[in-house]
Amino acid sequence: MAAALGTSPTIVEYFEGEDFYSCGYCKNESGSRSNGMWAHSMTVQDYQALIDRGWRRSGKYVYKPVMNQTCCPQYTIRCRPLHFQPSKSHKKVLKKMFKFLSKGEFSRGNNEEEPMDSQMDDAAVDDFVLKSKLDLQSDHRPLGEDYNEIIECEVKEKEESLEAKETKELNQSYDEKEKLGSGEPSSSVKVVPSAPKPGKGADLSKPPCRKAKDIRKERKRQKLILKSQTDKLEGFQIQHEPQPFPSEKPKLNQPKSIEDFIFDTLPEDAAHQLEFTRFLCSSPLEAESPPNGPDCGYGSFHQQYWLDGKIIAVGVIDILPYCVSSVYLYYDPDYSFLSLGVYSALREIAFTRQLHEKTSQLSYYYMGFYIHSCPKMRYKGQYRPSDLLCPETYVWVPIEQCLPALENSKYCRFNQDTKAVDEERVNELDRLRVLYKRTIMPYNIYKKRQKGPSDEAIVQQYADLVGQTCSERMLLFRS
């Protein structure tokens, strides 16, 4: 996609890899290393190409970790919103927000503050820890297995174990009462059924109580019978009474979409009102409004969260030709009990789906970096389906295929094709564009005018990192 007419070209100053510095993730004083450049201006097309090569911006500074050298490799991660289904922990956050807005009810509990770039809460972390433990216990589980089903099985087993424990304790309590009443060991007590006294004991005129486990099994059996009958009925209707709009027909057991939770209608007497506003914000990205783009255009935006007329959070996003990229979120800590990091991420996923309806190629949600070596930063892997970017060939690989390798090594090449190479690697440096003394020129002309020692090694490093396409579109400022 060519840059829109009237927008300024991308102009950057490149800084070669600096010395190692302190890591904000593992707290290593000299373990982190990255390359960076200052963006005086940048088109959304160029930034899209850069983040697809592992770059990320913080304000006007754009950086790329030196993946095979840094202590905590940071892999670019993207979610596929068109196929996204909220997890149990995500639904918990959405339900919590709806309950707070509609009834004003909330439980602060022991919520910890969420990192600005994290979009994480305790529920998401606990969910991931449980899944990680299951991964370790399974020993080479096939990829793509339904982890949620496994978790549900474990929860059911715990419930059944708890019921058995309660039944055992109840029986022990009953035996102890018999001992106290008779003065003899419980084994010698002969229990003779008798009519219960008024207000005490079981009502023999009613059927005996059933265990909760048996009740659940019966309910499940009834649901299966009902579903089977309904399926037969629907099959009959389809054969004899074709529906004009089959896509609008409700489906049984259809999981709720993220929109069902977020855009659920609040009651008229709702305790709180949550509103959203969106504004362009200061950024190196040049705002564009092409005719085939989204109504809001491309660029950087502030998404403001207003609760009863008070601003409680602001999310910064970049809307690019093929994705919505989450930059960061900051919020009022008094409202951390609402898990605003997770809630904002889910809203941004839903927003991406809305933009896709108008602009079909815009179909991804970029969440920044996934850092497997830092357990607290693994939560982004819970927004599935998602992909990680191969740091050597820059192709996207489903995260399920990447996790086993990351368990063995912090730095990994995800592309399994050993012959695959970086298709954007620069082979002709002379075609790279330079801005020198306010004049745009190809690198081969700049070399002839350059005074002093050659900077070809630095320029080659820059070109390899940004790729052939960006090196020919962007302007590398040289003084």
Side-chain angles (χ1 to χ4, degrees):
M1 181 184 293
L5 294 176
T7 59
S8 300
T10 298
I11 303 175
V12 297
E13 287 186 72
Y14 175 70
F15 310 105
E16 63 177 317
E18 301 174 355
D19 292 335
F20 289 89
Y21 52 90
S22 177
C23 176
Y25 301 106
C26 68
K27 309 305 178 183
N28 187 324
E29 291 298 326
S30 59
S32 185
R33 192 180 189 192
S34 65
N35 296 295
M37 53 191 179
W38 186 262
H40 294 274
S41 64
M42 182 169 287
T43 67
V44 292
Q45 291 82 12
D46 287 339
Y47 187 52
Q48 176 75 70
L50 288 175
I51 63 174
D52 284 336
R53 291 183 65 81
W55 292 83
R56 180 166 169 79
R57 81 174 184 88
S58 178
K60 291 192 173 185
Y61 183 71
V62 189
Y63 62 100
K64 184 180 189 301
V66 182
M67 298 291 283
N68 59 351
Q69 297 181 23
T70 191
C71 55
C72 295
Q74 301 163 53
Y75 299 91
T76 302
I77 182 172
R78 73 177 186 184
C79 171
R80 285 176 261 151
L82 306 186
H83 304 284
F84 175 80
Q85 282 293 335
S87 67
K88 286 186 176 180
S89 60
H90 296 152
K91 292 177 183 177
K92 181 179 178 181
V93 171
L94 295 172
K95 290 176 181 178
K96 179 169 58 175
M97 176 64 80
F98 184 83
K99 189 174 182 180
F100 172 72
L101 294 177
S102 59
K103 301 180 181 179
E105 299 176 5
F106 66 91
S107 175
R108 291 182 183 271
N110 296 320
N111 286 320
E112 299 178 358
E113 291 189 5
E114 304 167 58
M116 287 173 59
D117 185 44
S118 74
Q119 301 156 346
M120 169 182 64
D121 71 338
D122 293 343
V125 174
D126 292 342
D127 192 26
F128 187 87
V129 169
L130 178 55
K131 292 180 182 179
S132 297
K133 289 179 180 177
L134 291 173
D135 288 343
L136 294 174
Q137 294 169 0
S138 69
D139 194 16
H140 304 297
R141 175 186 294 114
L143 295 175
E145 186 170 338
D146 189 352
Y147 292 166
N148 287 331
E149 183 178 345
I150 297 173
I151 293 173
E152 290 174 2
C153 290
E154 289 222 339
V155 171
K156 287 182 180 179
E157 289 176 4
K158 289 180 181 178
E159 289 177 349
E160 293 170 2
S161 175
L162 182 60
E163 290 171 2
K165 181 180 179 182
E166 290 175 347
T167 304
K168 182 179 180 181
E169 290 176 351
L170 187 63
N171 291 336
Q172 289 176 347
S173 175
Y174 183 72
D175 289 343
E176 289 173 1
K177 287 180 180 178
E178 287 181 332
K179 292 178 185 178
L180 292 173
S182 64
E184 299 177 1
S186 60
S187 58
S188 62
V189 177
K190 185 176 181 180
V191 180
V192 180
S194 60
K197 295 180 180 179
K200 295 183 180 180
D203 187 347
L204 297 180
S205 64
K206 296 182 179 179
C209 293
R210 293 184 297 167
K211 290 185 179 180
K213 177 181 176 182
D214 296 331
I215 294 174
R216 285 200 304 272
K217 285 183 177 179
E218 178 63 21
R219 286 177 180 169
K220 185 175 181 181
R221 189 177 70 84
Q222 293 293 341
K223 285 182 179 179
L224 291 174
I225 293 173
L226 178 61
K227 185 178 184 301
S228 176
Q229 293 173 346
T230 306
D231 289 343
K232 290 180 180 178
L233 180 60
E234 284 189 344
F236 178 81
Q237 291 175 339
I238 290 173
Q239 292 173 11
H240 296 81
E241 300 177 13
Q243 301 295 316
F245 303 106
S247 60
E248 297 179 3
K249 188 174 181 179
K251 297 180 180 179
L252 290 178
N253 298 326
Q254 182 76 10
K256 276 191 174 184
S257 69
I258 189 172
E259 289 83 1
D260 293 332
F261 287 99
I262 291 179
F263 304 120
D264 197 0
T265 304
L266 290 170
E268 293 183 359
D269 59 344
H272 300 285
Q273 291 295 327
L274 186 65
E275 299 175 302
F276 298 87
T277 57
R278 187 173 300 110
F279 298 98
L280 276 167
C281 62
S282 177
S283 162
L285 299 185
E286 296 288 328
E288 297 182 20
S289 298
N292 60 340
D295 293 336
C296 58
Y298 299 124
S300 298
F301 295 83
H302 275 151
Q303 287 193 313
Q304 299 181 352
Y305 295 70
W306 292 82
L307 181 67
D308 302 332
K310 175 186 176 182
I311 190 167
I312 63 170
V314 177
V316 179
I317 61 172
D318 294 330
I319 300 180
L320 305 174
Y322 301 107
C323 73
V324 169
S325 175
S326 178
V327 183
Y328 58 83
L329 171 83
Y330 51 93
Y331 59 89
D332 186 337
D334 289 343
Y335 295 90
S336 60
F337 64 90
L338 291 173
S339 304
L340 291 172
V342 175
Y343 183 76
S344 66
L346 295 173
R347 281 204 71 102
E348 288 168 3
I349 289 174
F351 179 53
T352 305
R353 288 159 66 130
Q354 288 180 322
L355 295 179
H356 171 78
E357 293 178 3
K358 173 69 189 304
T359 310
S360 59
Q361 74 269 18
L362 203 163
S363 54
Y364 296 102
Y365 175 63
Y366 285 50
M367 297 176 284
F369 290 133
Y370 173 81
I371 309 170
H372 192 78
S373 58
C374 180
K376 287 188 176 181
M377 295 302 293
R378 295 178 179 177
Y379 66 92
K380 293 180 183 178
Q382 295 306 299
Y383 296 83
R384 297 190 182 184
S386 57
D387 310 301
L388 297 184
L389 186 67
C390 176
E392 295 182 6
T393 61
Y394 303 110
V395 297
W396 294 99
V397 180
I399 191 171
E400 293 85 357
Q401 298 179 23
C402 304
L403 294 180
L406 288 173
E407 287 294 330
N408 297 321
S409 175
K410 291 193 294 186
Y411 173 75
C412 299
R413 170 195 168 109
F414 300 136
N415 193 334
Q416 297 299 310
D417 183 356
T418 57
K419 296 181 180 179
V421 296
D422 175 14
E423 298 292 341
E424 277 282 300
R425 183 175 179 83
V426 174
N427 296 316
E428 298 182 35
L429 195 61
D430 288 347
R431 296 169 59 180
L432 180 143
R433 294 209 302 169
V434 174
L435 178 62
Y436 178 61
K437 292 185 177 181
R438 299 185 179 181
T439 304
I440 300 174
M441 61 188 72
Y443 183 68
N444 61 336
I445 301 297
Y446 161 75
K447 283 193 300 183
K448 297 176 182 178
R449 299 184 184 182
Q450 180 185 9
K451 297 178 181 179
S454 172
D455 62 356
E456 186 167 343
I458 296 175
V459 174
Q460 180 70 59
Q461 184 185 66
Y462 156 81
D464 290 340
L465 293 174
V466 303
Q468 184 74 50
T469 300
C470 281
S471 71
E472 295 180 19
R473 277 198 315 225
M474 297 176 4
L475 302 181
L476 175 63
F477 175 80
R478 309 306 289 166
S479 60

